[in-house]
Every structure is written in structure tokens, then in C-alpha cells.
């Protein structure tokens, strides 16, 4: 018998054992994770929900990621429920449910869903679901027409931002008032003649607490500032910028030139006070209270002496002062006008804000800029009779005779056709009244006539025409069919699509056919009110079907 060498036998055994272990590991891994899916029903009605569930059995250490988002197309995910987890020995069983629905009838396939287990993808089986129509028995259940949406007026409530706006205005107003009041006091002091202003500043200095608080530097600063400003304004010296020696030198020059009749004693007194003030301001000298108050009295005497020493002004100087006074009055008047305009603008802003808050922006815009359809609605309306067979309606303007294209099948049955039009499709309001008279014994199809209207609208550029219809009855009790809906029309100026509403009343009265059409802008409430008023005014003379 043939035998393998012992070395070969050992190698073969190792390979065999490794192969078995690898196969076993794949087998264990394959058994380790199981993914399955199911639905609670494969047949539902439109809008009903089905529960789609995914079950995963895997090791407790594995990370599982379920599908999220709209991965179930063509079905829609209504809700993704929480994952339910249970333990089976050392394994986990994860259970995930999704609520799905569909709003169109048909047969749909839920596609395979991917579940990730430690980045390894697993796929569920696809499932076929049938969505059936809801059958309505119209013999037992009365059908009602679609009613237009109604706006429910909400109770009036002032927005929070209005209160914030008013609060800010109050704060600004108070701040402006106090600043203006302070500025007026300062301007009043500045507007006084130089002599009166100097005396006023000395009185203000007497009321201060500088000396009581030992603020000698501040006291002498105010004292010398009063006399320097007086000399600068009254005698036209550069007193505020000059040193003490420069100021005294300029006064001496004017005195020698005869422009100022001051005594030598007054100039020397002023010089001593200014020098003492310089020491208090720059050398930290502190004169006693009696000296400081004495200097204040002497400064007043200097001002009085200077006032008396100034020669009488010439006529030319008086004219200059008068021109200056007039110019100052003109500037003051201009300021008052500016402040008045600003106050008016503020009041207008408050009024506009109140109107927008209470009445709305559209009301304000229509009141200020005007609105054509609003003017039509509030203007004088005209009741007229049109066509044969006769139809009477009330409109804001008289309709003029026009032409509307109709299908050849409809024209072959006619012996009379009259059309009256006001406005155009591009404008805010378009009104058409058509009356048709058929040949004797002719049978006309209402759908054919309506299709003719739609064909005419499409020729004029109307798109996305949505159609709804319902039975209609006039105030006289004449029954007809109301066709209504929306359409889009391109604006020639802006090249943008404008959405419009249309209402078409159709009647078969007095061996004829009458049609009233109104087309208006969807966002214009005044045009909608005009359309309803026109439709409610339709009347017939001796109506017979």
C-alpha cells in the first residue's frame, strides 16, 4: 500500500484543518447576521398607510444602520418609528418600522432597502403593493362642489415691534427734549450782547461752589474767561488766545490810538488780576476767598469801565450790525423750518406705521397710489342688455362688440353669434358676454362650447389652465353651469407668468346659449369682488329652457 511521507502528511493535515476552519468561519458569519422585511398589507386605498418592517438578527457587538430618508420611492415615508431591540442569548434582534403611503392609484414596487452591518451592506427583498381608488356611490352620497377658501379674520392685535418702535421714539424724544433745552440755554447766553453776557457769566460764577470747595483754579479760569470774552467781542481783540502781557499791550495800543478811553488805573488793575489768575491756574497758587471775591468785583468794574470807554458806533458799524442781525434771524428761521420738516416726517412715519399695522400695506398703497380695479368697483356701474337671445348684466364699463374664435363644429350649428368685450387678458380685468342662437333642431354640446373658450385662451397665450365646474343658479332661478379655475399668462412687459382666475357662466335660455366670462388677477381682491358682482347681476328676459 502507498503511504505519504510523514512530513507531507503533516502539511496536508494543516492545510485541511485551515480550510475547514475558514469554511466554518464563513458559515458562522453567514449565520451571524440575518436581515428580513415584511409589510402588514399589500393592498391599500389611496391615502392609507402600510407598515413596512425590517428585522435584523446579529451579534450584540455589531453596528447596524437602517435606511433613512425617501428611499422607499415611489411610496412616501410618513413616519420613521423608533427601533425596537430585544436580546436572544448573546445576539440582538433589531426591529425597525416605517409608515408608508401613496396618493395615486396603481401598482407600486417598494425597492430593495440597504441595511449596513459593520459597513457590510445587506439588502431586503422588493415588495409589490397595490393602491386602489376609493369608490364613491353617488346614488347614496350626495356630491358637493368645491368651495372656495375663506379667510378667517383674526382679532386685531398690535405686533410687538410696534411697541418697541414707540418706546424707542419716546426715548429719542425725551433725549432730544433735554438736549435741546440745554442747548437753548447755552445759545440764549451766547446770543446776549457782550456786556450783558459778561454780567450773566459773573452771576453764574457767584452761584457756583468753586470757592467753598477750594477750587481756586476753576474759579479764576471762569472769571478771566468772562472778561477776556467780553474784550474780544466788544473791542475785537484776540483776548481768548493772547497771554496776559499781549492782552495788556493790545489794550494800551487801542488806548493810545484813541479807540478806547480807559484809565491807566483800570488797565493796571486788570493786569494784576490776570497775573494772579495765571498763578492760580499754572503755579498752583491759592489766593484766599476774600481776595478772590475782591477780584470778582474788580473785574466787574473793569467791564463797566470798558463799556463806558468805547466810543459810539458809526453809522457804517450800525449797518453792519443790522445786517448781521438779519442774517442771524434768517438762519434761525431756516433752522425752525428744518426742525418743522423733521417733526412732520416723524409724524408721517408714525401715521404710516399705524395705518400699515391696522389696515395693512395694500390699503395704504391703494389709498396713496390708487388702484384701477378699486376705482372701478367704487365707481358708477352700468346695467346693459347684450346679444340675442338677450342677457342683462351690470358692469363697471360698457362692453363693446368683439369676436371670439370657436370650433368649426360649433359654428356649423349657429344662425346668430354676438360677442361683447371689455378689457383684455393682459389687463387687470377681462369681461366677455357671448350669445349664440342655434339652428332649429340643432343639438349642441356644452363641452364643445367650453372647449372653444379654452382654445381661444390658449391661442392668446394662456397656460396651465385648471378647470372646475359646478351647478349655478341666478337670482331669477335660472339654472346653468359655472366653470371656474386658474390659468397663467405671460406679462408682455416683465416676461413673467401672471396667475389669473376665471369664472365662466353657461346658460341655455330662450332657444339659445349665453356665456359670461370674467378673468382677473388672482392677487387682486377688488377684481374678485367685481367678478362676483357681475356674475350676481345676470338676468334674462322671460327665460325658457
Amino acid at each position: 500500500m502507498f503511504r505519504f511521507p510523514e512530513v507531507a502528511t503533516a502539511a496536508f493535515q494543516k492545510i485541511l484543518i485551515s480550510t475547514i476552519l475558514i469554511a466554518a468561519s464563513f458559515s458562522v458569519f453567514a449565520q451571524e447576521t440575518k436581515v428580513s422585511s415584511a409589510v402588514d398589507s399589500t393592498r391599500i386605498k389611496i391615502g392609507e398607510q402600510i407598515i413596512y418592517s425590517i428585522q435584523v438578527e446579529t451579534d450584540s457587538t455589531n453596528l447596524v444602520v437602517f435606511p433613512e430618508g425617501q428611499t422607499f420611492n415611489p411610496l412616501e415615508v410618513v413616519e420613521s418609528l423608533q427601533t425596537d431591540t430585544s436580546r436572544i442569548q448573546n445576539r440582538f434582534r433589531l426591529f425597525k418600522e416605517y409608515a408608508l403611503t401613496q396618493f395615486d392609484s396603481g401598482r407600486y414596487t417598494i425597492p430593495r432597502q440597504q441595511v449596513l452591518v459593520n459597513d457590510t451592506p445587506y439588502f431586503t427583498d422588493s415588495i409589490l403593493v397595490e393602491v386602489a381608488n376609493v369608490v364613491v356611490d353617488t346614488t347614496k352620497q350626495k356630491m358637493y362642489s368645491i368651495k372656495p377658501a375663506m379667510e378667517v379674520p383674526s382679532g386685531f392685535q398690535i405686533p410687538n415691534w410696534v411697541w418697541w418702535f414707540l418706546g424707542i421714539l419716546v426715548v429719542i424724544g425725551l433725549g432730544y427734549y433735554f438736549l435741546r433745552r440745554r442747548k437753548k440755554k447755552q445759545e440764549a447766553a451766547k446770543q446776549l450782547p457782550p456786556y450783558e453776557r459778561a454780567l450773566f457769566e459773573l452771576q453764574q460764577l457767584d452761584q457756583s461752589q468753586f470757592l467753598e470747595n477750594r477750587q481756586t483754579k476753576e474759579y479764576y479760569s471762569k472769571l478771566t474767561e468772562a472778561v477776556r470774552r467780553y474784550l474780544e467781542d466788544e473791542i475785537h481783540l484776540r483776548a481768548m488766545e493772547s497771554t496776559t502781557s499781549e492782552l495788556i499791550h493790545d489794550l494800551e495800543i487801542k488806548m493810545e490810538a484813541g479807540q478806547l478811553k480807559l484809565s491807566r488805573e483800570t488797565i493796571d488793575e486788570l493786569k494784576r488780576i490776570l497775573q494772579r489768575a495765571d498763578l492760580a491756574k499754572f503755579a498752583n497758587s491759592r489766593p484766599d476767598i476774600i481776595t478772590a471775591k475782591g477780584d470778582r468785583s474788580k473785574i466787574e468794574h473793569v467791564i463797566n469801565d470798558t463799556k463806558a470807554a468805547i466810543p459810539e458806533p458809526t453809522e457804517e458799524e450800525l449797518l453792519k450790525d443790522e445786517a448781521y442781525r438779519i442774517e442771524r434771524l434768517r438762519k434761525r428761521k431756516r433752522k425752525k423750518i428744518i426742525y418743522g420738516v423733521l417733526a412732520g416726517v416723524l409724524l408721517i412715519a408714525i401715521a404710516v406705521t399705524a395705518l400699515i399695522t391696522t389696515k395693512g400695506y395694500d390699503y395704504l398703497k391703494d389709498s396713496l397710489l390708487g388702484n384701477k380695479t378699486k376705482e372701478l368697483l367704487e365707481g358708477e356701474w352700468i346695467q346693459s342688455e347684450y346679444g340675442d337671445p338677450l342677457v342683462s348684466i351690470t358692469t363697471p364699463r360698457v362692453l363693446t362688440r368683439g369676436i371670439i374664435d370657436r370650433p368649426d363644429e360649433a359654428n356649423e350649428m349657429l344662425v346668430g353669434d354676438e360677442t361683447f368685450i371689455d378689457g383684455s387678458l393682459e389687463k387687470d380685468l377681462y369681461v366677455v358676454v357671448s350669445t349664440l342662437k342655434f339652428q332649429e333642431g340643432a343639438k349642441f354640446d356644452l363641452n364643445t362650447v367650453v372647449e372653444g373658450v379654452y382654445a381661444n385662451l390658449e391661442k392668446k397665450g394662456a397656460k396651465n389652465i385648471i378647470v372646475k365646474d359646478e351647478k349655478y343658479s341666478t337670482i331669477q332661478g335660472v339654472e346653468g353651469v359655472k366653470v371656474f379655475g386658474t390659468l397663467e399668462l405671460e406679462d408682455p412687459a416683465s416676461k413673467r407668468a401672471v396667475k389669473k382666475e376665471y369664472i365662466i357662466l353657461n346658460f341655455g335660455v330662450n332657444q339659445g346659449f349665453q356665456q359670461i366670462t370674467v378673468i382677473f388677477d388672482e392677487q387682486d381682491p377688488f377684481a374678485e369682488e367685481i367678478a362676483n358682482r357681475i356674475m350676481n347681476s345676470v338676468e334674462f328676459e322671460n327665460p325658457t329652457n
Side-chain angles (χ1 to χ4, degrees):
M1 178 183 234
F2 177 79
R3 293 186 179 180
F4 287 103
E6 291 183 2
V7 177
T9 302
F12 177 77
Q13 289 175 349
K14 288 182 179 180
I15 295 172
L16 181 61
I17 292 172
S18 300
T19 305
I20 294 172
L21 290 174
I22 293 172
S25 65
F26 278 110
S27 176
V28 170
F29 184 79
Q31 293 176 1
E32 189 175 290
T33 300
K34 293 181 180 179
V35 178
S36 61
S37 62
V39 293
D40 62 345
S41 176
T42 58
R43 182 178 176 83
I44 60 172
K45 295 179 181 179
I46 291 178
E48 282 188 341
Q49 296 181 9
I50 62 172
I51 301 299
Y52 180 93
S53 60
I54 299 176
Q55 181 174 292
V56 178
E57 290 186 12
T58 186
D59 188 80
S60 58
T61 59
N62 290 339
L63 175 64
V64 179
V65 179
F66 288 97
E68 292 295 339
Q70 297 295 340
T71 62
F72 296 88
N73 287 333
L75 271 71
E76 299 180 15
V77 178
V78 178
E79 184 180 7
S80 177
L81 304 176
Q82 292 292 332
T83 304
D84 185 20
T85 305
S86 59
R87 179 180 288 275
I88 305 174
Q89 296 179 357
N90 63 340
R91 293 160 58 82
F92 276 156
R93 176 179 292 170
L94 306 176
F95 192 73
K96 175 75 171 178
E97 289 184 336
Y98 303 85
L100 310 179
T101 190
Q102 175 57 252
F103 296 97
D104 289 325
S105 60
R107 295 167 65 87
Y108 300 94
T109 299
I110 302 176
R112 299 166 61 198
Q113 299 299 311
Q114 177 180 284
V115 180
L116 293 177
V117 180
N118 285 348
D119 295 331
T120 301
Y122 291 82
F123 293 92
T124 65
D125 294 332
S126 59
I127 301 175
L128 181 64
V129 177
E130 184 175 350
V131 181
N133 277 319
V134 178
V135 181
V136 179
D137 189 351
T138 56
T139 61
K140 296 180 180 179
Q141 176 64 44
K142 185 178 179 180
M143 300 297 292
Y144 296 92
S145 59
I146 299 174
K147 298 299 181 182
M150 301 292 291
E151 291 187 5
V152 180
S154 59
F156 173 72
Q157 184 177 5
I158 299 177
N160 292 331
W161 66 267
V162 175
W163 296 114
W164 281 101
F165 179 73
L166 293 177
I168 292 171
L169 286 181
V170 170
V171 172
I172 293 174
L174 290 174
Y176 175 78
Y177 170 76
F178 287 114
L179 289 175
R180 184 65 181 164
R181 185 178 177 184
R182 180 181 177 184
K183 189 175 181 181
K184 279 185 177 180
K185 286 184 177 180
Q186 295 174 349
E187 288 179 352
K190 292 179 180 178
Q191 289 173 0
L192 290 172
Y195 177 73
E196 284 79 2
R197 186 177 68 234
L199 296 181
F200 175 78
E201 290 178 354
L202 292 178
Q203 292 174 1
Q204 293 291 107
L205 184 62
D206 293 339
Q207 296 174 5
S208 68
Q209 301 294 321
F210 291 140
L211 293 179
E212 287 77 359
N213 298 329
R214 302 299 297 170
Q215 294 175 303
T216 310
K217 178 180 178 179
E218 289 77 5
Y219 182 85
Y220 273 96
S221 295
K222 292 292 183 182
L223 182 63
T224 55
E225 183 180 338
V227 68
R228 283 175 177 272
R229 184 179 291 109
Y230 171 72
L231 294 174
E232 182 167 311
D233 294 342
E234 193 75 271
I235 308 177
H236 308 295
L237 298 175
R238 297 182 60 185
M240 299 298 293
E241 301 176 2
S242 301
T243 63
T244 297
S245 58
E246 290 173 346
L247 177 58
I248 297 301
H249 179 69
D250 291 341
L251 285 173
E252 291 173 344
I253 291 175
K254 280 189 172 291
M255 188 177 66
E256 292 173 359
Q259 299 177 0
L260 192 65
K261 298 178 181 180
L262 273 177
S263 64
R264 186 73 240 177
E265 294 179 0
T266 302
I267 292 179
D268 292 341
E269 192 71 52
L270 175 62
K271 181 178 180 180
R272 284 192 294 271
I273 296 173
L274 292 177
Q275 288 175 344
R276 190 179 295 121
D278 290 340
L279 292 174
K281 290 188 292 183
F282 306 114
N284 202 21
S285 174
R286 291 181 178 273
D288 56 72
I289 295 178
I290 296 175
T291 303
K293 288 187 176 181
D295 289 342
R296 182 255 182 250
S297 299
K298 292 174 182 177
I299 285 294
E300 185 173 352
H301 289 306
V302 170
I303 292 173
N304 291 331
D305 292 344
T306 306
K307 175 70 175 176
I310 298 174
E312 292 294 328
T314 63
E315 186 176 352
E316 184 179 352
E317 291 174 342
L318 291 174
L319 289 174
K320 286 183 178 179
D321 290 343
E322 180 66 16
Y324 174 75
R325 188 183 64 81
I326 293 173
E327 177 65 19
R328 193 166 63 180
L329 289 175
R330 187 184 67 81
K331 289 181 178 180
R332 191 182 304 171
K333 185 177 180 181
R334 186 173 61 183
K335 282 185 178 181
K336 288 183 178 179
I337 293 174
I338 293 173
Y339 289 138
V341 171
L342 291 176
V345 170
L346 181 62
L347 290 175
I348 292 173
I350 295 173
V352 168
T353 303
L355 279 175
I356 293 175
T357 304
T358 55
K359 300 289 187 178
Y361 173 75
D362 291 336
Y363 174 84
L364 179 65
K365 183 186 69 175
D366 295 338
S367 300
L368 295 178
L369 304 180
N371 187 297
K372 293 181 180 179
T373 52
K374 182 181 180 183
E375 293 172 1
L376 284 177
L377 178 63
E378 297 174 350
E380 184 178 355
W381 284 51
I382 303 163
Q383 183 178 8
S384 301
E385 297 175 342
Y386 300 95
D388 181 25
L390 194 69
V391 58
S392 173
I393 64 169
T394 303
T395 56
R397 293 188 294 246
V398 176
L399 279 62
T400 57
R401 192 176 295 274
I403 299 174
I404 288 183
D405 296 332
R406 291 188 175 85
D408 295 336
E409 311 89 72
N411 291 328
E412 291 174 358
M413 299 186 293
L414 300 179
V415 295
D417 176 7
E418 292 184 275
T419 300
F420 301 87
I421 301 174
D422 175 47
S424 64
L425 277 175
E426 294 79 13
K427 294 184 178 180
D428 299 332
L429 188 66
Y430 180 52
V431 183
V432 181
V433 175
S434 295
T435 59
L436 309 179
K437 198 165 187 178
F438 293 97
Q439 298 175 4
E440 186 175 352
K443 295 181 180 180
F444 88 96
D445 183 8
L446 177 62
N447 294 328
T448 303
V449 180
V450 172
E451 286 175 3
V453 176
Y454 293 143
N456 183 57
L457 292 175
E458 289 178 346
K459 285 183 180 179
K460 293 186 177 182
K463 299 178 181 179
N464 299 327
I465 303 176
I466 298 176
V467 184
K468 293 179 279 187
D469 64 84
E470 64 182 12
K471 291 183 179 180
Y472 184 83
S473 179
T474 66
I475 297 176
Q476 293 174 296
V478 178
E479 293 186 352
V481 177
K482 176 182 177 181
V483 181
F484 59 101
T486 60
L487 57 86
E488 290 182 359
L489 193 70
E490 186 181 84
D491 185 1
S494 62
K495 303 299 181 181
R496 294 182 179 178
V498 179
K499 202 163 187 180
K500 293 179 175 287
E501 292 187 36
Y502 68 88
I503 304 174
I504 304 173
L505 298 184
N506 304 276
F507 299 95
V509 178
N510 298 330
Q511 286 90 40
F513 175 75
Q514 298 83 12
Q515 188 176 74
I516 301 94
T517 302
V518 180
I519 302 176
F520 54 92
D521 289 344
E522 186 180 38
Q523 302 298 328
D524 191 342
F526 302 110
E528 182 178 3
E529 193 171 345
I530 289 174
N532 292 329
R533 185 172 172 182
I534 291 175
M535 295 307 181
N536 293 332
S537 69
V538 176
E539 294 181 357
F540 299 94
E541 184 179 2
N542 301 322
T544 58
N545 293 329

